Amino acid sequence: MVDWHTLDSAEVLKELNTSESGISELEAQIRLKATGYNELKKKKKITPLTLFLNQFKSFLVLILVIAAVISYLIENIIDAILIGIIIIVNALFGFIQEFKAEKTLESLKKLSAPHAKVIRDGKEKLVDARELVPGDILVINEGDRIPADARIIEAFNLKVDESSLTGESIPVTKFDKILKDVPLPERRNMLYMGTVATYGRARAVVVNTGMSTEIGKIATLIQTTEQETPLQAKINSFGKWLGVIAIIIAGVAALIGVLKNYAPVDMLLTSAALAVSAVPEGLPALLTITLAIGVQTMSRNKAIVRKLSAVETLGSTTVILADKTGTMTTNEMTVKKIFVNNQEIDVGGSGFEPVGEFSIKGKTIDPKKNNELVTALTISALCNNAVLTKENKWQIIGDPTEGALLVAAQKAGLDIKNLNKKYPRVNEIPFSSERKMMSTVHKVGKTLFVYSKGAPEVILSRCNRILRNSHESRLTEIQKQDILATVRELAGKGLRLLAVAYNETKEHHHENLEKNLVFVGLLGMIDPPRPEVKNAIKTCSEAGIKVIMITGDHKDTAVAIARDIGLLKDGKILTGEELDKLNDNELEKIIEDVEVYARVSPVHKSRIVRLLRKKGHIVAVTGDGVNDAPALKDAHIGVAMGIKGTDVAKEASEMVLSDDNFSTIVKAIEQGRIIYDNIRKFIRFILAVNFDEIFYITLAILLGLPLPLLPIQILMINLMTDSLPALGLGLDAKDENIMKRKPRNPKESILSRMLPFILVAGIVDAIASLALFLITLELHDSIDKVRTIIFTNEVLFELFFVFNCRSENKSVFQINPFSNKFLTLSVIGALLLQIAIVYLPFFNIVFHTVPLNLFDWLLIIPFAATGLLVLPKLFIR
């Protein structure tokens, strides 16, 4: 085993047969076959067989098994076989639902799998972290989770949080130096899988992957299984209580029957069937599959849900606190204005393609002949960590703002690669949201120069000279104010401004590197709003959701974009500086009136989230950086960016946007509302139709009448209606006004406002069935004929009634009954099965049915059609 920390970086590269240009893609594939995937061994997954057998653990299934055994013992073989078939079919249904849900969740985990930035074939590219191999060159930036064990070959102010491995709570400074044989926590030239880069950047060569990593040696993977959502927990608990009540009622009915001289065995079988039919045992499976399918729909719409509980919360969201850059805008920054030498220069072109002319007041100029312009663009290109590449199209690896600077430099004819070779970087002070600037130190001949870029007010505060007409002169206070006035003017046009400066230095490591700088100029960039954001903002307004823009940009830039997308109307605008002057009580009084926060840091964001929650709001907040993690955790729904988001931000979030698009959040909220609506639909359907049989069969027993239904018929009704028609409701299309309703109160019960509807439907069904039973007893001598009529009536009532469960404010007569194809096919399938049970001799024997004539059908339909009369808008308020 090689002690990588004791070797020089050049020796490490040689030992691994690689170079700073990385290995080739072909070599990576060869090594991957040899080493296996870069992942820790997972706990054994639950097998399909185990999942199927788990379906038989239910107490209700046990009741059915006892009923089947009793039927067999009393030589009622057909009933025993049929009950057995029903047990297996129910188990298959539950298995299919849970298996499909499991597969859906697995596919979603793959979608959110971590990536790593590597150098292969001499180019930077993103690959799946699990495909890393020894010899790969990692590119590590602030916020990245280290994907494998690696030896550092180059580091710039890198600090790593190794608490997950060593328990050390303070981030450790890393460097590229040979070390003696020291314990793991002191190996400052090594990076370890699972730790997090909290500051700076580095390049490192992968030395170990998967189970060969340090974390693989000392720990087993603790798989995070998807916990029950609050709604699932409530439904499961509710189902158990319902089961207890049903068993008690069914037991009392059986006892009364025995006292009234009904056969004890018949009573036992009937009470077992009633208990099973009254309890919605399919409810948990229906809930899981509805949630899972909804989550899959979200993933197709670019919103990857990491926690199922977020789906419930989405429908209650009252505030979206969203970043401007890249979320509300396209994130394709383009430099449009450059202010140098007291002149405003226009830059042509758009996006990341390095094509465009430079002009002053409409007159094209040669950029290479303008010394200040060349200096500004040179600083922009060197004080920069982005990479401009072209495969099918021009694209940026890294920060889009830095990418825009590279594009502008290349438009002016500057050779970026040549610049980096000619003026090699020897040090870097990385950008942070608190400092709002970045600096690099370069060798220019035998001299060292520090190049800085950042927020104009920050850079100006560190400058005491200015470059004008190729000469340095003292920067006066009047000039500073003039420059700041230009900043406000350009920002008012929606431009994002960066200032650039430089200074000659004798050392590349000292405290005053970023002081006494020479101001060179301003670069104004536009990041245009995404075309779909305006409509998304309007949709939020109609849905009772307040959208707040939060950005580190200049106030005027933020206001210009906010007005353009229709977000800013008559609300307040606060800057980070103004926030700092307000205490929590003062901010709490005005927080609901603020529509835009500008020049704020992640610390401000976390504070805003906390106070909005205190005011009773359900808050969704977006974030991408390491420092956004607290705000993402504090929010009800943390939304991380899939493209520009750091691993830390993604892990702190409930949802990841794979397209970083604000409108995707709105679509996810809409889908959250649809899912919750559909869950309410099948709950009210199942609860309404499951208890009615207990009511009228118990009444029949009390009246000393024959049993209206046999146990096997009760179970068949339960199987037909609790399965596919109920699932059809779970897959129903959205209500056209779903985003014109106010957000749901998260404290509201899932049964809120539905109990009257459920009770009325159950009572109507029970009365209609009992009335029909009494009439048919008078009309027919054959009890089998009477039961066939009641059996068919019950099935038809539920098939009619299911269409009245599709909306809370519209009846079946106001909705296209064929708009839900799955539901329509489910109903047709159940109807055809019932016809087969009535007319096919085999089923006649099994279910104790007899064929019905036209008069029987004409008698059944009016009673069954009462299911259409239970209008939701009369009972759901």
Side-chain angles (χ1 to χ4, degrees):
M1 188 176 125
V2 181
D3 292 325
W4 301 106
H5 60 284
T6 64
L7 301 180
D8 178 77
S9 57
E11 291 179 278
V12 175
L13 291 172
K14 186 178 179 182
E15 184 76 25
L16 292 166
N17 195 22
T18 186
S19 70
E20 292 192 23
S21 298
I23 56 177
S24 67
E25 283 289 352
L26 180 61
E27 178 64 20
Q29 293 303 315
I30 294 169
R31 294 189 185 193
L32 185 62
K33 286 180 182 177
T35 61
Y37 285 116
N38 175 38
E39 55 191 9
L40 302 180
K41 287 182 181 176
K42 298 179 180 179
K43 287 182 181 178
K44 193 176 179 182
K45 288 183 181 177
I46 187 168
T47 63
L49 178 61
T50 306
L51 197 63
F52 178 70
L53 293 176
N54 284 345
Q55 307 303 314
F56 297 93
K57 291 181 179 179
S58 164
F59 179 66
L60 295 167
V61 173
L62 183 60
I63 292 173
L64 281 180
V65 171
I66 292 170
V69 170
I70 292 170
S71 295
Y72 177 78
L73 291 174
I74 62 171
E75 298 185 356
N76 194 342
I77 306 301
I78 293 175
D79 276 14
I81 292 171
L82 193 58
I83 292 171
I85 290 170
I86 287 172
I87 292 170
I88 292 169
V89 170
N90 254 326
L92 277 172
F93 176 69
F95 165 75
I96 290 166
Q97 306 294 33
E98 288 186 27
F99 183 75
K100 192 171 182 180
E102 195 70 30
K103 286 294 178 186
T104 303
L105 293 174
E106 275 182 29
S107 69
L108 293 175
K109 285 176 185 175
K110 287 178 184 176
L111 281 173
S112 58
H115 291 82
K117 191 188 288 186
V118 299
I119 299 174
R120 286 185 182 170
D121 294 313
K123 295 178 181 178
E124 283 190 19
K125 55 182 67 178
L126 282 174
V127 299
D128 284 343
R130 70 195 294 264
E131 294 179 1
L132 287 174
V133 294
D136 262 326
I137 304 298
L138 294 174
V139 179
I140 304 295
N141 290 302
E142 178 182 325
D144 288 350
R145 180 167 288 279
I146 309 302
D149 286 4
R151 168 66 160 87
I152 295 169
I153 56 178
E154 181 183 58
F156 292 97
N157 301 296
L158 183 68
K159 291 184 180 181
V160 177
D161 177 2
E162 294 187 333
S163 58
S164 60
L165 184 65
T166 66
E168 175 63 57
S169 59
I170 300 170
V172 179
T173 301
K174 296 286 185 174
F175 45 68
D176 169 28
K177 288 181 184 176
I178 299 175
L179 296 171
K180 294 179 181 179
D181 193 10
V182 293
L184 188 143
E186 294 176 29
R187 295 174 190 173
R188 302 296 178 88
N189 59 6
M190 295 292 295
L191 299 175
Y192 295 107
M193 176 191 262
T195 59
V196 178
T198 60
Y199 192 77
R201 65 185 184 87
R203 286 190 300 148
V205 57
V206 174
V207 295
N208 286 310
T209 60
M211 294 305 289
S212 299
T213 60
E214 291 298 328
I215 203 166
K217 293 174 192 172
I218 65 174
T220 55
L221 181 67
I222 301 170
Q223 277 187 302
T224 53
T225 55
E226 189 69 48
Q227 298 296 314
E228 274 189 337
T229 72
L231 181 59
Q232 285 174 314
K234 285 177 187 174
I235 291 298
N236 286 337
S237 175
F238 177 71
K240 287 174 185 175
W241 278 105
L242 213 58
V244 171
I245 294 167
I247 289 167
I248 291 170
I249 294 173
V252 169
L255 184 61
I256 293 168
V258 171
L259 293 174
K260 284 187 169 283
N261 298 319
Y262 286 84
V265 171
D266 289 346
M267 283 296 94
L268 183 61
L269 293 175
T270 301
S271 63
L274 284 174
V276 170
S277 72
V279 178
E281 70 275 8
L283 205 54
L286 282 168
L287 186 61
T288 301
I289 197 65
T290 303
L291 283 169
I293 290 173
V295 166
Q296 197 171 43
T297 302
M298 287 185 190
S299 74
R300 287 197 296 270
N301 290 329
K302 312 293 185 185
I304 300 164
V305 176
R306 298 183 67 247
K307 298 172 186 175
L308 273 182
S309 56
V311 178
E312 298 169 34
T313 316
L314 278 167
S316 303
T317 304
T318 58
V319 172
I320 303 173
L321 192 64
D323 292 318
K324 174 184 72 68
T325 306
T327 307
M328 293 183 171
T329 57
T330 61
N331 209 27
E332 287 198 352
M333 281 293 212
T334 307
V335 175
K336 302 301 287 183
K337 300 266 187 189
I338 300 177
F339 180 79
V340 291
N341 206 19
N342 209 29
Q343 288 181 312
E344 200 175 289
I345 301 172
D346 294 308
V347 185
S350 63
F352 295 142
E353 187 176 6
V355 176
E357 294 183 333
F358 292 77
S359 61
I360 298 175
K361 294 181 179 178
K363 186 178 179 181
T364 303
I365 63 165
D366 182 352
K368 290 184 178 179
K369 292 181 180 179
N370 188 314
N371 178 55
E372 287 77 15
L373 177 58
V374 170
T375 303
L377 292 173
T378 299
I379 294 170
S380 300
L382 291 172
C383 184
N384 199 311
N385 289 325
V387 178
L388 178 63
T389 63
K390 185 181 181 182
E391 291 182 10
N392 296 325
K393 64 175 185 176
W394 288 97
Q395 58 187 23
I396 295 296
I397 298 176
D399 183 76
T401 301
E402 291 195 323
L405 299 177
L406 290 182
V407 172
Q410 204 154 314
K411 284 178 182 177
L414 299 182
D415 187 328
I416 310 299
K417 285 186 179 178
N418 188 47
L419 278 178
N420 281 292
K421 285 181 182 177
K422 190 175 179 182
Y423 310 124
R425 185 186 297 191
V426 294
N427 190 24
E428 175 187 333
I429 306 173
F431 174 87
S432 77
S433 51
E434 288 80 18
R435 287 173 8 91
K436 292 186 172 69
M437 69 176 294
M438 169 188 176
S439 297
T440 53
V441 181
H442 298 261
K443 274 187 179 180
V444 181
K446 294 183 179 180
T447 310
L448 291 175
F449 274 84
V450 57
Y451 293 143
S452 300
K453 73 173 191 294
E457 61 270 29
V458 174
I459 294 292
L460 275 170
S461 70
R462 294 171 182 262
C463 292
N464 62 3
R465 287 162 293 158
I466 187 168
L467 184 65
R468 287 272 173 90
N469 300 317
S470 300
H471 294 287
E472 296 175 12
S473 58
R474 189 174 69 86
L475 178 63
T476 67
E477 190 59 36
I478 293 173
Q479 287 174 320
K480 280 188 178 182
Q481 293 307 315
D482 287 344
I483 292 167
L484 289 172
T486 302
V487 168
R488 286 190 293 272
E489 181 190 341
L490 294 175
K493 297 175 181 177
L495 293 174
R496 183 180 184 186
L497 280 300
L498 283 179
V500 289
Y502 71 91
N503 193 20
E504 187 177 334
T505 181
K506 292 182 180 179
E507 297 178 30
H508 62 266
H509 282 291
H510 65 80
E511 293 178 0
N512 298 320
L513 271 178
E514 296 178 315
K515 292 182 180 178
N516 303 318
L517 301 176
V518 180
F519 182 82
V520 178
L522 303 167
L523 293 96
M525 288 158 276
I526 186 76
D527 182 12
R530 293 179 183 267
E532 63 273 19
V533 166
K534 198 166 188 174
N535 281 335
I537 297 282
K538 185 182 177 186
T539 300
C540 285
S541 178
E542 292 172 347
I545 302 166
K546 181 180 176 67
V547 180
I548 301 171
M549 177 189 286
I550 189 160
T551 179
D553 259 357
H554 198 281
K555 178 179 177 179
D556 292 337
T557 308
V559 167
I561 296 292
R563 289 197 193 284
D564 190 20
I565 60 178
L567 186 151
L568 184 61
K569 298 178 180 71
D570 50 8
K572 294 181 183 293
I573 303 117
L574 283 183
T575 64
E577 189 178 349
E578 289 166 336
L579 274 173
D580 290 333
K581 293 175 183 176
L582 297 171
N583 61 37
D584 280 1
N585 288 334
E586 290 169 330
L587 180 56
E588 195 177 333
K589 288 176 184 176
I590 63 168
I591 198 165
E592 292 180 310
D593 300 323
V594 181
E595 292 178 336
V596 176
Y597 292 94
R599 275 292 188 253
V600 295
S601 68
V603 176
H604 292 131
K605 186 187 283 189
S606 194
R607 183 185 175 201
I608 293 162
V609 170
R610 180 169 49 80
L611 290 177
L612 283 168
R613 287 193 63 152
K614 190 177 176 183
K615 295 285 282 186
H617 287 285
I618 306 299
V619 184
V621 64
T622 68
D624 53 22
V626 175
N627 292 336
D628 283 326
L632 291 170
K633 285 184 177 179
D634 288 343
H636 294 91
I637 303 171
V639 183
M641 301 298 107
I643 299 171
K644 64 175 182 174
T646 59
D647 293 338
V648 175
K650 290 173 187 175
E651 288 182 14
S653 69
E654 280 74 33
M655 189 166 75
V656 178
L657 305 184
S658 61
D659 61 354
D660 291 10
N661 193 333
F662 173 79
S663 64
T664 302
I665 304 172
V666 182
K667 288 176 187 174
I669 289 173
E670 180 182 65
Q671 189 62 38
R673 291 188 177 192
I674 293 169
I675 291 169
Y676 197 84
D677 268 13
N678 287 348
I679 289 170
R680 280 175 59 90
K681 289 174 188 178
F682 67 66
I683 284 177
R684 63 176 171 264
F685 170 66
I686 287 177
L687 295 187
V689 301
N690 273 28
F691 257 91
D692 58 321
E693 289 133 358
I694 282 187
F695 293 151
Y696 66 78
I697 289 175
T698 303
L699 278 172
I701 291 171
L702 286 170
L703 295 171
L705 300 172
L707 289 174
L709 291 170
L710 293 175
I712 207 69
Q713 294 167 343
I714 296 169
L715 292 173
M716 194 61 199
I717 292 166
N718 184 55
L719 180 66
M720 278 196 288
T721 56
D722 272 17
S723 53
L724 296 181
L727 182 58
L729 288 174
L731 303 177
D732 210 4
K734 68 178 181 181
D735 183 270
E736 59 186 19
N737 295 318
I738 197 162
M739 290 301 279
K740 292 181 179 176
R741 306 191 310 230
K742 287 183 179 180
R744 173 180 58 83
N745 184 342
K747 294 179 182 178
E748 179 182 273
S749 165
I750 187 72
L751 297 174
S752 174
R753 299 175 287 111
M754 294 199 303
L755 281 175
F757 177 77
I758 292 168
L759 290 171
V760 168
I763 291 167
V764 167
D765 188 11
I767 291 171
S769 297
L770 188 61
L772 182 61
F773 181 54
L774 294 172
I775 292 168
T776 49
L777 279 175
E778 293 296 323
L779 293 176
H780 301 288
D781 295 328
S782 167
I783 190 64
D784 283 344
K785 181 72 172 273
V786 171
R787 285 173 178 154
T788 304
I789 290 171
I790 299 303
F791 182 15
T792 305
N793 170 72
E794 187 64 36
V795 170
L796 288 185
F797 177 92
E798 295 185 9
L799 296 183
F800 279 129
F801 176 68
V802 73
F803 289 101
N804 254 341
C805 292
R806 291 185 62 194
S807 173
E808 295 190 3
N809 48 37
K810 291 181 181 177
S811 72
V812 64
F813 307 108
Q814 296 169 295
I815 302 174
N816 179 0
F818 306 110
S819 57
N820 184 335
K821 291 179 182 177
F822 188 92
L823 178 61
T824 304
L825 290 174
S826 299
V827 168
I828 291 170
L831 181 60
L832 290 175
L833 180 58
Q834 182 61 23
I835 290 170
I837 288 170
V838 170
Y839 291 106
L840 295 183
F842 171 76
F843 287 124
N844 291 157
I845 297 169
V846 171
F847 290 100
H848 307 284
T849 56
V850 295
L852 300 177
N853 57 39
L854 180 61
F855 175 78
D856 297 327
W857 282 102
L858 292 174
L859 182 63
I860 290 168
I861 288 172
F863 285 93
T866 55
L868 298 174
L869 302 179
V870 188
L871 303 178
K873 61 183 177 182
L874 295 179
F875 304 105
I876 302 178
R877 296 180 183 278

